[in-house]
Amino acid sequence: MSCAVEFDLIESGFRHWGFQSSPLIFVVIGAGLLVWGSPIRVKILGLFYITFSLFFVYVDGSSYNNYLQYVQAYESGDFEIVEGRVEEYREEGEGARKVKFGTVGGQQFVVHSSAYLTNGYTEAPSKPAPFRAGRFLRISHVDGDIIRLESCA
């Protein structure tokens, strides 16, 4: 049986740099307010910007740590592989917020649309989706998060 790779964590890389780095602009603004702001209110606002932004950079950093854990599991072979037809398939939500549920090889999977920030497999609404009822798939996963998806004919 031949299989085509639909998603591979290593090939896709970390996909959320834009979102992760967006609070850094407020660090720069806050630093500018601290350095060049004259009234104390402006300096306090600058300090608030820096503190608030660094908090979000820290919180968002957990997503990158999660990605690194997946890469380590992928490279060391510390993941499970299941294959079979997608059964018990259902969808919830509409458009960019669509979530799909299905069972492959006795393991339940949740597949989010690309609007969700997750390091595992997501589906773009504009592309034909391999995760659908009756489709034969080979899924490599870490605790249910898909790190490699192959559709088989």
Side-chain angles (χ1 to χ4, degrees):
M1 178 180 325
S2 66
C3 297
V5 176
E6 301 286 347
F7 173 77
D8 188 284
L9 178 76
I10 302 297
E11 289 177 12
S12 71
F14 186 66
R15 298 170 288 167
H16 308 299
W17 286 115
F19 183 78
Q20 298 281 100
S21 61
S22 60
L24 294 178
I25 187 68
F26 293 103
V27 171
V28 173
I29 292 170
L33 291 173
L34 276 176
V35 171
W36 293 294
S38 56
I40 191 70
R41 290 188 322 247
V42 173
K43 290 188 182 286
I44 291 173
L45 180 63
L47 191 59
F48 172 76
Y49 270 29
I50 291 172
T51 305
F52 189 70
S53 301
L54 289 178
F55 171 75
F56 277 101
V57 169
Y58 172 75
V59 169
D60 288 343
S62 65
S63 177
Y64 185 68
N65 287 336
N66 179 259
Y67 168 77
L68 292 177
Q69 289 173 347
Y70 286 169
V71 168
Q72 184 179 18
Y74 188 100
E75 290 175 343
S76 67
D78 190 22
F79 58 88
E80 294 181 39
I81 299 174
V82 295
E83 55 182 46
R85 297 211 179 276
V86 178
E87 299 171 342
E88 300 174 21
Y89 178 83
R90 73 179 198 284
E91 295 180 0
E92 292 181 6
E94 300 266 336
R97 295 288 181 192
K98 187 181 288 188
V99 179
K100 298 178 178 182
F101 301 88
T103 303
V104 176
Q107 170 84 34
Q108 181 160 1
F109 293 96
V110 178
V111 175
H112 295 94
S113 72
S114 57
Y116 288 84
L117 293 178
T118 178
N119 291 309
Y121 172 71
T122 58
E123 289 186 345
S126 59
K127 287 179 58 181
F131 194 89
R132 59 181 184 262
R135 188 78 181 258
F136 194 91
L137 301 176
R138 180 180 299 143
I139 298 176
S140 303
H141 68 96
V142 175
D143 297 327
D145 291 326
I146 300 172
I147 60 173
R148 183 176 171 97
L149 176 68
E150 300 169 80
S151 61
C152 306

PDB file of all heavy atoms in Angstrom, residues 100-113:
ATOM      1  N   LYS A 100     -12.591  18.711  13.771  1.00  0.00           N
ATOM      2  CA  LYS A 100     -13.001  17.373  13.332  1.00  0.00           C
ATOM      3  C   LYS A 100     -12.580  16.348  14.381  1.00  0.00           C
ATOM      4  O   LYS A 100     -11.515  16.460  14.973  1.00  0.00           O
ATOM      5  CB  LYS A 100     -12.344  17.030  11.999  1.00  0.00           C
ATOM      6  CG  LYS A 100     -12.749  17.964  10.879  1.00  0.00           C
ATOM      7  CD  LYS A 100     -12.035  17.602   9.611  1.00  0.00           C
ATOM      8  CE  LYS A 100     -12.471  18.494   8.476  1.00  0.00           C
ATOM      9  NZ  LYS A 100     -11.822  18.122   7.220  1.00  0.00           N
ATOM     10  N   PHE A 101     -13.432  15.363  14.572  1.00  0.00           N
ATOM     11  CA  PHE A 101     -13.170  14.284  15.513  1.00  0.00           C
ATOM     12  C   PHE A 101     -13.282  12.978  14.752  1.00  0.00           C
ATOM     13  O   PHE A 101     -14.160  12.812  13.912  1.00  0.00           O
ATOM     14  CB  PHE A 101     -14.207  14.286  16.645  1.00  0.00           C
ATOM     15  CG  PHE A 101     -14.251  15.559  17.427  1.00  0.00           C
ATOM     16  CD1 PHE A 101     -15.051  16.615  17.021  1.00  0.00           C
ATOM     17  CD2 PHE A 101     -13.489  15.705  18.579  1.00  0.00           C
ATOM     18  CE1 PHE A 101     -15.093  17.791  17.743  1.00  0.00           C
ATOM     19  CE2 PHE A 101     -13.526  16.879  19.308  1.00  0.00           C
ATOM     20  CZ  PHE A 101     -14.330  17.924  18.892  1.00  0.00           C
ATOM     21  N   GLY A 102     -12.402  12.047  15.058  1.00  0.00           N
ATOM     22  CA  GLY A 102     -12.473  10.742  14.423  1.00  0.00           C
ATOM     23  C   GLY A 102     -11.581   9.749  15.138  1.00  0.00           C
ATOM     24  O   GLY A 102     -10.684  10.121  15.895  1.00  0.00           O
ATOM     25  N   THR A 103     -11.843   8.477  14.880  1.00  0.00           N
ATOM     26  CA  THR A 103     -11.065   7.402  15.471  1.00  0.00           C
ATOM     27  C   THR A 103     -10.325   6.662  14.367  1.00  0.00           C
ATOM     28  O   THR A 103     -10.910   6.306  13.348  1.00  0.00           O
ATOM     29  CB  THR A 103     -12.003   6.433  16.234  1.00  0.00           C
ATOM     30  OG1 THR A 103     -12.724   7.174  17.209  1.00  0.00           O
ATOM     31  CG2 THR A 103     -11.220   5.335  16.910  1.00  0.00           C
ATOM     32  N   VAL A 104      -9.024   6.463  14.592  1.00  0.00           N
ATOM     33  CA  VAL A 104      -8.196   5.700  13.654  1.00  0.00           C
ATOM     34  C   VAL A 104      -7.454   4.657  14.469  1.00  0.00           C
ATOM     35  O   VAL A 104      -6.757   4.988  15.430  1.00  0.00           O
ATOM     36  CB  VAL A 104      -7.181   6.609  12.914  1.00  0.00           C
ATOM     37  CG1 VAL A 104      -6.276   5.776  12.027  1.00  0.00           C
ATOM     38  CG2 VAL A 104      -7.895   7.674  12.115  1.00  0.00           C
ATOM     39  N   GLY A 105      -7.626   3.397  14.100  1.00  0.00           N
ATOM     40  CA  GLY A 105      -6.942   2.315  14.802  1.00  0.00           C
ATOM     41  C   GLY A 105      -7.253   2.276  16.290  1.00  0.00           C
ATOM     42  O   GLY A 105      -6.389   1.956  17.098  1.00  0.00           O
ATOM     43  N   GLY A 106      -8.473   2.625  16.662  1.00  0.00           N
ATOM     44  CA  GLY A 106      -8.886   2.600  18.070  1.00  0.00           C
ATOM     45  C   GLY A 106      -8.467   3.820  18.876  1.00  0.00           C
ATOM     46  O   GLY A 106      -8.799   3.941  20.046  1.00  0.00           O
ATOM     47  N   GLN A 107      -7.758   4.753  18.277  1.00  0.00           N
ATOM     48  CA  GLN A 107      -7.292   5.967  18.954  1.00  0.00           C
ATOM     49  C   GLN A 107      -8.109   7.155  18.448  1.00  0.00           C
ATOM     50  O   GLN A 107      -8.238   7.349  17.247  1.00  0.00           O
ATOM     51  CB  GLN A 107      -5.811   6.195  18.663  1.00  0.00           C
ATOM     52  CG  GLN A 107      -5.252   7.518  19.088  1.00  0.00           C
ATOM     53  CD  GLN A 107      -4.839   7.543  20.541  1.00  0.00           C
ATOM     54  OE1 GLN A 107      -4.377   6.548  21.064  1.00  0.00           O
ATOM     55  NE2 GLN A 107      -5.028   8.674  21.186  1.00  0.00           N
ATOM     56  N   GLN A 108      -8.653   7.957  19.366  1.00  0.00           N
ATOM     57  CA  GLN A 108      -9.426   9.132  18.952  1.00  0.00           C
ATOM     58  C   GLN A 108      -8.498  10.318  18.712  1.00  0.00           C
ATOM     59  O   GLN A 108      -7.557  10.555  19.467  1.00  0.00           O
ATOM     60  CB  GLN A 108     -10.458   9.519  19.994  1.00  0.00           C
ATOM     61  CG  GLN A 108     -11.266  10.727  19.556  1.00  0.00           C
ATOM     62  CD  GLN A 108     -12.572  10.863  20.273  1.00  0.00           C
ATOM     63  OE1 GLN A 108     -12.900  10.078  21.134  1.00  0.00           O
ATOM     64  NE2 GLN A 108     -13.324  11.868  19.908  1.00  0.00           N
ATOM     65  N   PHE A 109      -8.788  11.067  17.647  1.00  0.00           N
ATOM     66  CA  PHE A 109      -8.008  12.244  17.292  1.00  0.00           C
ATOM     67  C   PHE A 109      -8.919  13.443  17.122  1.00  0.00           C
ATOM     68  O   PHE A 109     -10.066  13.316  16.701  1.00  0.00           O
ATOM     69  CB  PHE A 109      -7.230  12.014  15.990  1.00  0.00           C
ATOM     70  CG  PHE A 109      -6.155  10.986  16.123  1.00  0.00           C
ATOM     71  CD1 PHE A 109      -6.389   9.674  15.755  1.00  0.00           C
ATOM     72  CD2 PHE A 109      -4.916  11.326  16.647  1.00  0.00           C
ATOM     73  CE1 PHE A 109      -5.411   8.720  15.893  1.00  0.00           C
ATOM     74  CE2 PHE A 109      -3.929  10.368  16.787  1.00  0.00           C
ATOM     75  CZ  PHE A 109      -4.176   9.063  16.418  1.00  0.00           C
ATOM     76  N   VAL A 110      -8.376  14.608  17.454  1.00  0.00           N
ATOM     77  CA  VAL A 110      -9.052  15.885  17.249  1.00  0.00           C
ATOM     78  C   VAL A 110      -8.189  16.674  16.285  1.00  0.00           C
ATOM     79  O   VAL A 110      -7.002  16.875  16.531  1.00  0.00           O
ATOM     80  CB  VAL A 110      -9.219  16.662  18.573  1.00  0.00           C
ATOM     81  CG1 VAL A 110      -9.889  17.999  18.325  1.00  0.00           C
ATOM     82  CG2 VAL A 110      -9.993  15.842  19.593  1.00  0.00           C
ATOM     83  N   VAL A 111      -8.784  17.115  15.177  1.00  0.00           N
ATOM     84  CA  VAL A 111      -8.052  17.890  14.175  1.00  0.00           C
ATOM     85  C   VAL A 111      -8.684  19.271  14.097  1.00  0.00           C
ATOM     86  O   VAL A 111      -9.871  19.413  13.811  1.00  0.00           O
ATOM     87  CB  VAL A 111      -8.090  17.201  12.791  1.00  0.00           C
ATOM     88  CG1 VAL A 111      -7.433  18.075  11.742  1.00  0.00           C
ATOM     89  CG2 VAL A 111      -7.419  15.845  12.873  1.00  0.00           C
ATOM     90  N   HIS A 112      -7.871  20.292  14.390  1.00  0.00           N
ATOM     91  CA  HIS A 112      -8.341  21.673  14.349  1.00  0.00           C
ATOM     92  C   HIS A 112      -8.076  22.280  12.983  1.00  0.00           C
ATOM     93  O   HIS A 112      -7.219  21.816  12.239  1.00  0.00           O
ATOM     94  CB  HIS A 112      -7.607  22.503  15.410  1.00  0.00           C
ATOM     95  CG  HIS A 112      -7.910  22.081  16.796  1.00  0.00           C
ATOM     96  ND1 HIS A 112      -7.127  21.178  17.478  1.00  0.00           N
ATOM     97  CD2 HIS A 112      -8.901  22.420  17.635  1.00  0.00           C
ATOM     98  CE1 HIS A 112      -7.632  20.982  18.684  1.00  0.00           C
ATOM     99  NE2 HIS A 112      -8.699  21.728  18.803  1.00  0.00           N
ATOM    100  N   SER A 113      -8.781  23.361  12.698  1.00  0.00           N
ATOM    101  CA  SER A 113      -8.470  24.120  11.483  1.00  0.00           C
ATOM    102  C   SER A 113      -7.206  24.924  11.747  1.00  0.00           C
ATOM    103  O   SER A 113      -6.746  25.048  12.880  1.00  0.00           O
ATOM    104  CB  SER A 113      -9.631  25.051  11.127  1.00  0.00           C
ATOM    105  OG  SER A 113      -9.690  26.119  12.046  1.00  0.00           O
TER     106      SER A 113
END
